Amino acid sequence: MIRLHDLHKAYKTHLGVKPVLRGIDATFRPGEKVGILGRNGAGKTTLLRLIAGVEYPTTGKVERQMSVSWPLGFAGAMHYSITGADNARFIARIYGKPIQETVDFVQDFSELGEYYRLPVRTYSSGMIMRLGFALSLAVDFECYLVDEVIAVGDSRFGERCRKALAERQARSALLLVSHQAETVRSFCTTAAVLNDGRLTRYDDLDQAIAVYQAV
Amino acid sequence: MTDAALPAPARRGTRIGDVLACQLRVIGALVLRELGTRFGRDNLGYLWLFVEPALLGGALGTLHYVVAHSVPGGLNPFEFWVIAYIPFYLLRGVINRAPFGIQANQSLLYHRNVTVLDILVARNLLEGAAVLGALIIFLVFFGIIFGHWPSDPFKMLFGMVLMLLLAHGVSLLISAGAVYTELFERLVHLVTYLSMPLLGAFWMVFWLPYEAQRLALWIPSVHIFELIRDGHFGNLVPTTYDIGYVLAWIAGTNLLGMAAIRRARRDLVL
């Protein structure tokens, strides 16, 4: 279970304080697959970062009663100067996973070939994305936070991610932020719309998409 | 393939033992990673860890030995300068690197298990281990070449630990400040350079007139350098230090530093 209590986030900029999120309350239950729809600049990524605990809310609280992944779709969680395999070792160590199994799993899932033994800075963006997704699957979180990443990748890998997430249907929750209704439709069972700093949840996917498209 | 897919342990547990175990695991992983990124796997690799401070210390020692500046108290100038320079290198290194501590490792903070404190502790531990390694190399060298072994190696080790802790406390404050302003980044080298004559590395308290001694002993690092020299030279020269005073400084800087880091983390934009 993840609970968001009256979440506000504002950033200080040269043009003064810019509020991004203006009071978000929500509950995400284990196993739920929720799409969060929002236009560019609506604060989707910010919301994901707050849920992940990468950044802190200005006011309000994030309550996590399940293990939550880092926000996938950024290179943020990786090291460019070390190899993919070394990244896997590092992740295994900090999350207390068996090292060799993690290295093998990530190698297998990411399909990087010999690039797995080269520094991440030599990777294409698609390869970085595959590595990031494989790393997070190796840790096996109870909730995955995904930032449009799967839609960006090639379709074959997208299909594998979809399968991997589906296999975890029962225990893993998914929060996917996207500005594309189709992405949300293919991964999620319910959806919410982020607009004007507030989040509205809809039990019916089609209703959410209709509302989003009207925004 | 499925072996790796064990349920993830919850974030740091609530029991103090779980929290510590997680912190130790993370710091261990960070030290290994820092080793990998700083020294790579090419040529001398990890050896640079000790060689870098050792070369600097050795060069400075040789310089003063060749120029034949005598050191009051009749100490071997080479030993005096090396014993002074190596702990100084630790203090300066930790403090000069502090403004970049968070910035250089921001991507690690995507993992909620990793705290800013873990990152800074790992960096400074590594720096401390490197400099200690260099010091040990020199002590063995002095023993073999000059036939002079430290009078009390534990005092020297204790002194190095105190130096690391003091530098760590100050570095926490600087790292936290650097989140808010570039000023630290711009000024830190200037300040460490200008304060070089004040820190007590390159003179001894007994060289000074009485009034100046009293002023000098307000500076915590002066005590630490004196302790290290006591450990090396023993009764050859008089030394003056108060370990309680140093511990108070360490406690003060570290507590304030941790509070500052905690605050800065909340305001950090990644």
Side-chain angles (χ1 to χ4, degrees), chain B residues 32-241:
Chain B
L32 285 174
R33 187 200 60 99
E34 185 90 2
L35 269 173
T37 49
R38 265 180 76 184
F39 303 103
R41 288 168 172 174
D42 305 332
N43 56 64
L44 280 178
Y46 299 159
L47 266 184
W48 280 116
L49 196 64
F50 312 111
V51 172
E52 207 183 323
L55 278 177
L56 279 162
L60 200 74
T62 313
L63 207 70
H64 284 274
Y65 193 73
V66 171
V67 177
H69 280 311
S70 67
V71 175
L75 302 176
N76 178 335
F78 188 79
E79 287 184 45
F80 178 83
W81 284 95
V82 170
I83 293 301
Y85 187 74
I86 291 204
F88 172 74
Y89 179 88
L90 174 64
L91 181 67
R92 188 186 58 183
V94 165
I95 289 177
N96 278 354
R97 278 156 48 84
F100 313 96
I102 297 179
Q103 194 189 318
N105 290 290
Q106 278 196 354
S107 65
L108 292 173
L109 296 171
Y110 274 76
H111 306 289
R112 219 166 35 259
N113 291 9
V114 180
T115 65
V116 172
L117 187 65
D118 295 338
I119 294 173
L120 300 176
V121 166
R123 274 163 78 95
N124 292 341
L125 264 182
L126 190 63
E127 194 76 23
V131 174
L132 189 64
L135 181 64
I136 291 169
I137 293 170
F138 272 112
L139 293 180
V140 171
F141 175 78
F142 294 158
I144 294 168
I145 303 292
F146 301 126
H148 173 209
W149 295 92
S151 113
D152 187 343
F154 290 102
K155 274 186 187 167
M156 299 190 80
L157 178 64
F158 185 48
M160 291 301 281
V161 171
L162 292 181
M163 188 66 87
L164 180 60
L165 289 172
L166 180 66
H168 179 66
V170 176
S171 81
L172 291 181
L173 289 164
I174 296 174
S175 295
V179 169
Y180 297 99
T181 164
E182 279 188 2
L183 227 58
F184 290 95
E185 194 180 314
R186 306 273 173 228
L187 296 183
V188 71
H189 279 88
L190 178 69
V191 172
T192 49
Y193 186 74
L194 289 180
S195 58
M196 207 153 75
L198 298 176
L199 294 173
F202 307 114
W203 42 266
M204 293 188 67
V205 173
F206 86 98
W207 301 359
L208 305 173
Y210 179 70
E211 276 306 310
Q213 286 188 11
R214 278 187 39 195
L215 285 176
L217 288 170
W218 282 102
I219 302 168
S221 60
V222 170
H223 297 258
I224 303 177
F225 284 111
E226 291 281 292
L227 169 64
I228 293 172
R229 278 191 283 256
D230 183 21
H232 189 62
F233 298 111
N235 293 330
L236 285 175
V237 277
T239 50
T240 320
Y241 54 85

